[in-house]
Amino acid sequence: MVPKDLKIIGSDKVTAIGMGTWGIGGYESPDYSRDKENIEALRYGLELGINLIDTAEFYGAGHSEELVGEAIRGFEREEIFIISKVWPTHFGRESAKRAARASAKRLGTYIDLYLLHWPGTEWGRIEETLHALEELVDEGLIRYIGVSNFDLELLKRSQEAMRKYEIVANEVKYSLRDRWPETSGLLDYMKREKMALIAYTPLEKGSLARNQCLAEIGKSYDKTAAQVALNYLIWEDNVVAIPKAGSKAHIEENAGAMGWRLTKDDREKARGCV
């Protein structure tokens, strides 16, 4: 089991490191060639104690959600936190509801956190979709509402548009190499508002895992470069990272980023490694 290292999304406790599924089960179309390995990897992560899985209707044209649904069978559903997302082409009151129901059907269960995957272009459609998600919370199909790839101003506007529930999370690209949430004020704002920042591409497609400078920092903690890069992110109280759950070995290494913290000095050194 991984060390207890928990963050809060809504009022739920989730592990600081989750399992991302972009590319698992295909990219823009389904890929069935590695289904067994992908399911086994996700199940291994759950067995280790990682309780957060991130997916989307767009991933593998829904096949990623099907694999997640298969992987969670036999586990206590209430102990798992599943994130999925609605693609902008499905924004709108009825379209978003249909998309959410289709995602829940592929998953075989309700959705803990449902996100608007990208902002799209029209504010009216975003607002209509957020209100549709509030209705889905009332229906019990989803539990929490969030957004993804929203900048600070759009996040504030979206939060102000909510009628009944709050936006509890924003999933954005965030890594040691791409620290825009820090420099834009987004991270500080989300901390004040007690929103979870969910960091995707936290290892920059593996390049940070090969960073020798980060590896040197990791030596004194008996940790790898990847674990240092992930720990840099989860050092913040409201940040959760979702590296890709590509294999059992990667999931085990990712889990090792939890249960400890870089010193402030080493965290500053890590910034200088990229």
Side-chain angles (χ1 to χ4, degrees):
M1 298 290 288
V2 300
K4 290 292 183 183
D5 198 337
L6 302 175
K7 302 296 181 80
I8 301 295
I9 297 181
S11 59
D12 285 34
K13 293 179 180 179
V14 302
T15 45
I17 301 292
M19 294 185 284
T21 63
W22 165 239
I24 290 175
Y27 290 90
E28 294 182 22
S29 59
D31 177 0
Y32 304 99
S33 63
R34 298 186 68 244
D35 281 6
K36 183 179 179 182
E37 297 163 71
N38 288 327
I39 291 168
E40 287 178 353
L42 289 169
R43 290 181 67 84
Y44 181 66
L46 293 171
E47 288 164 0
L48 284 178
I50 297 173
N51 73 344
L52 174 65
I53 304 177
D54 177 271
T55 188
E57 66 170 356
F58 183 74
Y59 300 171
H63 189 44
S64 169
E65 291 175 321
E66 292 172 339
L67 293 176
V68 171
E70 185 66 30
I72 66 173
R73 286 186 185 179
F75 290 90
E76 291 293 330
R77 175 62 184 92
E78 292 75 17
E79 295 179 4
I80 302 170
F81 194 94
I82 298 173
I83 302 170
S84 195
K85 314 175 192 73
V86 56
W87 195 247
T89 53
H90 291 152
F91 282 8
R93 184 172 181 267
E94 295 306 321
S95 184
K97 285 186 172 184
R98 284 194 297 272
R101 292 186 183 110
S103 286
K105 184 177 180 180
R106 287 188 291 268
L107 289 163
T109 184
Y110 60 88
I111 301 164
D112 291 289
L113 173 61
Y114 200 47
L115 311 178
L116 276 64
H117 202 149
W118 286 90
T121 55
E122 299 177 11
W123 165 249
R125 295 289 278 178
I126 293 173
E127 186 175 34
E128 182 183 355
T129 304
L130 289 170
H131 294 161
L133 267 55
E134 289 189 301
E135 294 176 19
L136 290 173
V137 173
D138 286 337
E139 292 175 20
L141 190 71
I142 68 176
R143 298 181 58 236
Y144 299 110
I145 299 166
V147 295
S148 182
N149 298 296
F150 278 39
D151 64 17
L152 178 55
E153 292 310 311
L154 188 54
L155 177 61
K156 287 180 178 179
R157 189 175 184 185
S158 299
Q159 187 182 31
E160 290 166 0
M162 301 300 284
R163 293 170 173 169
K164 190 173 182 180
Y165 300 104
E166 295 181 347
I167 290 173
V168 303
N170 184 15
E171 183 172 316
V172 297
K173 186 174 184 295
Y174 181 28
S175 73
L176 257 172
R177 181 169 292 149
D178 189 357
R179 299 196 298 272
W180 76 271
E182 299 174 14
T183 58
S184 66
L186 179 68
L187 177 59
D188 286 341
Y189 173 79
M190 291 181 66
K191 275 196 269 189
R192 290 196 302 272
E193 295 297 315
K194 300 190 185 322
M195 290 184 192
L197 190 154
I198 303 165
Y200 71 80
T201 320
L203 296 176
E204 293 290 345
K205 299 180 179 179
S207 65
L208 294 180
R210 300 184 293 272
N211 185 293
Q212 290 304 307
C213 176
L214 294 176
E216 283 299 316
I217 293 172
K219 284 181 179 178
S220 60
Y221 301 88
D222 196 24
K223 298 295 179 181
T224 66
Q227 290 166 337
V228 171
L230 291 172
N231 194 266
Y232 174 89
L233 301 177
I234 65 171
W235 198 90
E236 298 284 359
D237 289 341
N238 67 322
V239 175
V240 172
I242 48 166
K244 184 177 177 180
S247 68
K248 290 182 179 180
H250 283 153
I251 290 170
E252 189 167 345
E253 182 178 14
N254 296 339
M258 295 188 281
W260 60 283
R261 288 294 182 270
L262 292 163
T263 65
K264 287 185 178 180
D265 286 346
D266 282 340
R267 196 164 185 264
E268 187 60 39
K269 288 177 185 176
R271 289 192 182 101
C273 287
V274 294

